[in-house]
mmCIF file of all heavy atoms in Angstrom:
data_model
loop_
_atom_site.group_PDB
_atom_site.id
_atom_site.type_symbol
_atom_site.label_atom_id
_atom_site.label_comp_id
_atom_site.label_asym_id
_atom_site.label_seq_id
_atom_site.Cartn_x
_atom_site.Cartn_y
_atom_site.Cartn_z
ATOM 1 N N VAL A 1063 0.919 21.531 35.731
ATOM 2 C CA VAL A 1063 -0.144 20.636 36.269
ATOM 3 C C VAL A 1063 -1.413 21.396 36.265
ATOM 4 O O VAL A 1063 -1.522 22.490 36.869
ATOM 5 C CB VAL A 1063 0.290 20.324 37.798
ATOM 6 C CG1 VAL A 1063 -0.731 19.343 38.450
ATOM 7 C CG2 VAL A 1063 1.685 19.665 37.793
ATOM 8 N N ALA A 1064 -2.446 20.722 35.784
ATOM 9 C CA ALA A 1064 -3.833 21.193 35.843
ATOM 10 C C ALA A 1064 -4.653 20.179 36.477
ATOM 11 O O ALA A 1064 -4.452 18.973 36.238
ATOM 12 C CB ALA A 1064 -4.359 21.508 34.414
ATOM 13 N N ASP A 1065 -5.512 20.619 37.467
ATOM 14 C CA ASP A 1065 -6.153 19.664 38.235
ATOM 15 C C ASP A 1065 -7.663 19.921 38.347
ATOM 16 O O ASP A 1065 -8.158 20.987 38.077
ATOM 17 C CB ASP A 1065 -5.579 19.442 39.651
ATOM 18 C CG ASP A 1065 -5.955 20.717 40.462
ATOM 19 O OD1 ASP A 1065 -5.941 21.783 39.934
ATOM 20 O OD2 ASP A 1065 -6.187 20.532 41.689
ATOM 21 N N THR A 1066 -8.453 18.877 38.516
ATOM 22 C CA THR A 1066 -9.895 18.966 38.968
ATOM 23 C C THR A 1066 -9.948 18.358 40.277
ATOM 24 O O THR A 1066 -8.918 17.840 40.851
ATOM 25 C CB THR A 1066 -10.799 18.302 37.939
ATOM 26 O OG1 THR A 1066 -10.467 16.881 37.917
ATOM 27 C CG2 THR A 1066 -10.595 18.901 36.574
ATOM 28 N N THR A 1067 -11.054 18.086 40.853
ATOM 29 C CA THR A 1067 -11.224 17.438 42.163
ATOM 30 C C THR A 1067 -10.631 16.078 42.183
ATOM 31 O O THR A 1067 -9.997 15.689 43.111
ATOM 32 C CB THR A 1067 -12.692 17.400 42.524
ATOM 33 O OG1 THR A 1067 -13.196 18.826 42.572
ATOM 34 C CG2 THR A 1067 -12.879 16.798 43.894
ATOM 35 N N ASP A 1068 -10.954 15.293 41.073
ATOM 36 C CA ASP A 1068 -10.524 13.810 41.053
ATOM 37 C C ASP A 1068 -9.371 13.482 40.267
ATOM 38 O O ASP A 1068 -8.666 12.556 40.501
ATOM 39 C CB ASP A 1068 -11.776 13.040 40.633
ATOM 40 C CG ASP A 1068 -12.962 13.169 41.528
ATOM 41 O OD1 ASP A 1068 -12.727 13.137 42.773
ATOM 42 O OD2 ASP A 1068 -14.091 13.121 41.077
ATOM 43 N N PHE A 1069 -9.153 14.235 39.163
ATOM 44 C CA PHE A 1069 -8.081 13.923 38.169
ATOM 45 C C PHE A 1069 -7.283 15.178 37.826
ATOM 46 O O PHE A 1069 -7.659 16.285 38.004
ATOM 47 C CB PHE A 1069 -8.663 13.390 36.913
ATOM 48 C CG PHE A 1069 -9.324 11.985 37.158
ATOM 49 C CD1 PHE A 1069 -10.625 11.938 37.445
ATOM 50 C CD2 PHE A 1069 -8.592 10.842 37.133
ATOM 51 C CE1 PHE A 1069 -11.232 10.658 37.655
ATOM 52 C CE2 PHE A 1069 -9.091 9.579 37.398
ATOM 53 C CZ PHE A 1069 -10.553 9.539 37.613
ATOM 54 N N GLY A 1070 -6.094 14.916 37.300
ATOM 55 C CA GLY A 1070 -5.253 15.943 36.808
ATOM 56 C C GLY A 1070 -4.553 15.556 35.493
ATOM 57 O O GLY A 1070 -4.527 14.466 35.181
ATOM 58 N N ILE A 1071 -3.999 16.592 34.881
ATOM 59 C CA ILE A 1071 -3.174 16.408 33.720
ATOM 60 C C ILE A 1071 -1.777 17.051 33.962
ATOM 61 O O ILE A 1071 -1.815 18.264 34.210
ATOM 62 C CB ILE A 1071 -3.729 17.101 32.411
ATOM 63 C CG1 ILE A 1071 -5.148 16.486 32.080
ATOM 64 C CG2 ILE A 1071 -2.852 16.829 31.290
ATOM 65 C CD1 ILE A 1071 -5.860 17.216 30.997
ATOM 66 N N VAL A 1072 -0.802 16.238 33.867
ATOM 67 C CA VAL A 1072 0.617 16.749 33.980
ATOM 68 C C VAL A 1072 1.133 16.901 32.662
ATOM 69 O O VAL A 1072 1.246 15.893 31.936
ATOM 70 C CB VAL A 1072 1.478 15.921 34.910
ATOM 71 C CG1 VAL A 1072 2.857 16.349 35.017
ATOM 72 C CG2 VAL A 1072 0.783 15.706 36.312
ATOM 73 N N ARG A 1073 1.554 18.067 32.222
ATOM 74 C CA ARG A 1073 2.052 18.265 30.881
ATOM 75 C C ARG A 1073 3.534 18.488 30.982
ATOM 76 O O ARG A 1073 4.041 19.324 31.830
ATOM 77 C CB ARG A 1073 1.416 19.542 30.253
ATOM 78 C CG ARG A 1073 -0.026 19.259 29.928
ATOM 79 C CD ARG A 1073 -0.673 20.463 29.228
ATOM 80 N NE ARG A 1073 -1.936 20.154 28.872
ATOM 81 C CZ ARG A 1073 -3.115 20.643 29.382
ATOM 82 N NH1 ARG A 1073 -3.004 21.561 30.335
ATOM 83 N NH2 ARG A 1073 -4.307 20.347 28.979
ATOM 84 N N LEU A 1074 4.340 17.720 30.143
ATOM 85 C CA LEU A 1074 5.782 17.738 30.248
ATOM 86 C C LEU A 1074 6.374 18.002 28.986
ATOM 87 O O LEU A 1074 5.966 17.407 27.875
ATOM 88 C CB LEU A 1074 6.239 16.409 30.715
ATOM 89 C CG LEU A 1074 5.617 15.771 31.972
ATOM 90 C CD1 LEU A 1074 5.935 14.276 32.137
ATOM 91 C CD2 LEU A 1074 6.148 16.520 33.211
ATOM 92 N N ILE A 1075 7.550 18.700 28.953
ATOM 93 C CA ILE A 1075 8.459 18.755 27.773
ATOM 94 C C ILE A 1075 9.721 18.193 28.390
ATOM 95 O O ILE A 1075 10.244 18.657 29.402
ATOM 96 C CB ILE A 1075 8.676 20.215 27.279
ATOM 97 C CG1 ILE A 1075 7.378 20.914 27.008
ATOM 98 C CG2 ILE A 1075 9.653 20.173 26.082
ATOM 99 C CD1 ILE A 1075 6.617 20.511 25.688
ATOM 100 N N VAL A 1076 10.261 17.171 27.625
ATOM 101 C CA VAL A 1076 11.502 16.520 28.066
ATOM 102 C C VAL A 1076 12.502 16.405 26.968
ATOM 103 O O VAL A 1076 12.223 16.643 25.768
ATOM 104 C CB VAL A 1076 11.147 15.091 28.647
ATOM 105 C CG1 VAL A 1076 10.190 15.181 29.821
ATOM 106 C CG2 VAL A 1076 10.564 14.142 27.596
ATOM 107 N N ASN A 1077 13.769 15.946 27.321
ATOM 108 C CA ASN A 1077 14.756 15.861 26.305
ATOM 109 C C ASN A 1077 14.701 14.628 25.481
ATOM 110 O O ASN A 1077 15.304 14.518 24.428
ATOM 111 C CB ASN A 1077 16.132 15.920 27.028
ATOM 112 C CG ASN A 1077 16.335 14.694 27.834
ATOM 113 O OD1 ASN A 1077 15.484 14.181 28.573
ATOM 114 N ND2 ASN A 1077 17.656 14.218 27.850
ATOM 115 N N ASN A 1078 13.921 13.559 25.821
ATOM 116 C CA ASN A 1078 13.693 12.309 25.109
ATOM 117 C C ASN A 1078 12.252 11.931 25.296
ATOM 118 O O ASN A 1078 12.020 11.109 26.188
ATOM 119 C CB ASN A 1078 14.674 11.303 25.537
ATOM 120 C CG ASN A 1078 14.768 10.054 24.621
ATOM 121 O OD1 ASN A 1078 13.728 9.719 24.113
ATOM 122 N ND2 ASN A 1078 15.932 9.428 24.421
ATOM 123 N N THR A 1079 11.399 12.333 24.372
ATOM 124 C CA THR A 1079 9.988 12.062 24.447
ATOM 125 C C THR A 1079 9.632 10.619 24.462
ATOM 126 O O THR A 1079 8.884 10.082 25.287
ATOM 127 C CB THR A 1079 9.256 12.749 23.282
ATOM 128 O OG1 THR A 1079 9.539 14.262 23.358
ATOM 129 C CG2 THR A 1079 7.775 12.596 23.440
ATOM 130 N N GLU A 1080 10.245 9.857 23.545
ATOM 131 C CA GLU A 1080 9.892 8.373 23.310
ATOM 132 C C GLU A 1080 10.325 7.611 24.565
ATOM 133 O O GLU A 1080 9.539 6.803 25.137
ATOM 134 C CB GLU A 1080 10.556 7.850 22.090
ATOM 135 C CG GLU A 1080 10.232 6.412 21.837
ATOM 136 C CD GLU A 1080 10.855 5.928 20.533
ATOM 137 O OE1 GLU A 1080 11.164 6.685 19.623
ATOM 138 O OE2 GLU A 1080 10.966 4.630 20.439
ATOM 139 N N LYS A 1081 11.548 7.912 25.062
ATOM 140 C CA LYS A 1081 12.010 7.215 26.271
ATOM 141 C C LYS A 1081 11.162 7.586 27.501
ATOM 142 O O LYS A 1081 10.864 6.689 28.353
ATOM 143 C CB LYS A 1081 13.430 7.565 26.507
ATOM 144 C CG LYS A 1081 14.173 6.805 27.574
ATOM 145 C CD LYS A 1081 15.658 7.226 27.599
ATOM 146 C CE LYS A 1081 16.434 6.478 28.664
ATOM 147 N NZ LYS A 1081 17.844 6.944 28.762
ATOM 148 N N ALA A 1082 10.747 8.837 27.606
ATOM 149 C CA ALA A 1082 9.908 9.178 28.724
ATOM 150 C C ALA A 1082 8.479 8.560 28.639
ATOM 151 O O ALA A 1082 8.070 8.126 29.657
ATOM 152 C CB ALA A 1082 9.779 10.750 28.708
ATOM 153 N N VAL A 1083 7.936 8.519 27.463
ATOM 154 C CA VAL A 1083 6.568 7.897 27.342
ATOM 155 C C VAL A 1083 6.746 6.420 27.737
ATOM 156 O O VAL A 1083 5.861 5.923 28.521
ATOM 157 C CB VAL A 1083 5.974 8.059 25.974
ATOM 158 C CG1 VAL A 1083 4.855 7.188 25.664
ATOM 159 C CG2 VAL A 1083 5.692 9.459 25.731
ATOM 160 N N ASN A 1084 7.732 5.701 27.295
ATOM 161 C CA ASN A 1084 7.887 4.379 27.721
ATOM 162 C C ASN A 1084 8.070 4.124 29.159
ATOM 163 O O ASN A 1084 7.551 3.285 29.767
ATOM 164 C CB ASN A 1084 9.094 3.701 26.906
ATOM 165 C CG ASN A 1084 8.727 3.561 25.411
ATOM 166 O OD1 ASN A 1084 7.638 3.450 25.050
ATOM 167 N ND2 ASN A 1084 9.752 3.578 24.617
ATOM 168 N N ALA A 1085 8.823 5.000 29.787
ATOM 169 C CA ALA A 1085 9.088 4.954 31.239
ATOM 170 C C ALA A 1085 7.782 5.133 32.003
ATOM 171 O O ALA A 1085 7.477 4.483 32.924
ATOM 172 C CB ALA A 1085 10.166 5.961 31.668
ATOM 173 N N LEU A 1086 6.959 6.114 31.554
ATOM 174 C CA LEU A 1086 5.807 6.444 32.184
ATOM 175 C C LEU A 1086 4.818 5.311 32.045
ATOM 176 O O LEU A 1086 4.091 4.872 32.979
ATOM 177 C CB LEU A 1086 5.133 7.806 31.552
ATOM 178 C CG LEU A 1086 5.885 8.967 32.016
ATOM 179 C CD1 LEU A 1086 5.529 10.203 31.118
ATOM 180 C CD2 LEU A 1086 5.793 9.368 33.525
ATOM 181 N N LYS A 1087 4.651 4.730 30.798
ATOM 182 C CA LYS A 1087 3.827 3.584 30.585
ATOM 183 C C LYS A 1087 4.173 2.367 31.473
ATOM 184 O O LYS A 1087 3.301 1.748 32.009
ATOM 185 C CB LYS A 1087 3.607 3.300 29.167
ATOM 186 C CG LYS A 1087 2.814 4.374 28.342
ATOM 187 C CD LYS A 1087 2.645 4.065 26.911
ATOM 188 C CE LYS A 1087 1.741 5.158 26.268
ATOM 189 N NZ LYS A 1087 1.575 4.857 24.844
ATOM 190 N N ASP A 1088 5.529 2.190 31.533
ATOM 191 C CA ASP A 1088 6.092 1.052 32.310
ATOM 192 C C ASP A 1088 5.667 1.293 33.834
ATOM 193 O O ASP A 1088 5.561 0.389 34.545
ATOM 194 C CB ASP A 1088 7.445 0.939 32.233
ATOM 195 C CG ASP A 1088 7.897 0.333 30.774
ATOM 196 O OD1 ASP A 1088 7.075 -0.135 30.054
ATOM 197 O OD2 ASP A 1088 9.096 0.435 30.449
#
Side-chain angles (χ1 to χ4, degrees):
V1063 179
D1065 71 324
T1066 63
T1067 303
D1068 298 322
F1069 294 94
I1071 300 174
V1072 178
R1073 294 183 174 110
L1074 309 164
I1075 306 286
V1076 299
N1077 65 321
N1078 188 327
T1079 304
E1080 184 177 337
K1081 189 175 179 182
V1083 168
N1084 290 334
L1086 291 164
K1087 288 183 177 180
D1088 288 347

